[in-house]
Amino acid sequence: MNQEQKYEEAFAQLQDIVRKMESDEYSIDEIAVQLKEAQRLIKFCKDKLTMTEQEIQKIQAERE
């Protein structure tokens, strides 16, 4: 995983995987690989959102 990857890039990749799966663009062999990549991207996005939420809460707490 690229440490410099941005949330927007990861989310766009995830959307692309979903779109290709829905339109049957992957072979049977590619599906397992793409599912693993989708799981990685979901975790990456979820972690980014969690980290951002924690930072926002910290900033709000400091302002009070």
Side-chain angles (χ1 to χ4, degrees), residues 2-49:
N2 181 356
Q3 293 295 337
E4 299 298 317
Q5 184 173 31
K6 299 198 182 306
Y7 174 85
E8 292 81 6
E9 294 167 348
F11 191 72
Q13 289 175 336
L14 184 57
Q15 287 178 312
D16 189 50
I17 290 171
V18 170
R19 181 187 56 76
K20 287 179 179 178
M21 283 187 174
E22 288 177 341
S23 58
D24 295 326
E25 292 184 37
Y26 291 124
S27 70
I28 296 294
D29 296 324
E30 292 174 311
I31 289 174
V33 172
Q34 293 303 318
L35 281 173
K36 287 180 184 178
E37 178 63 6
Q39 287 176 321
R40 183 193 71 79
L41 290 166
I42 290 167
K43 182 181 182 328
F44 175 83
C45 289
K46 183 177 177 182
D47 290 348
K48 277 282 203 187
L49 289 173

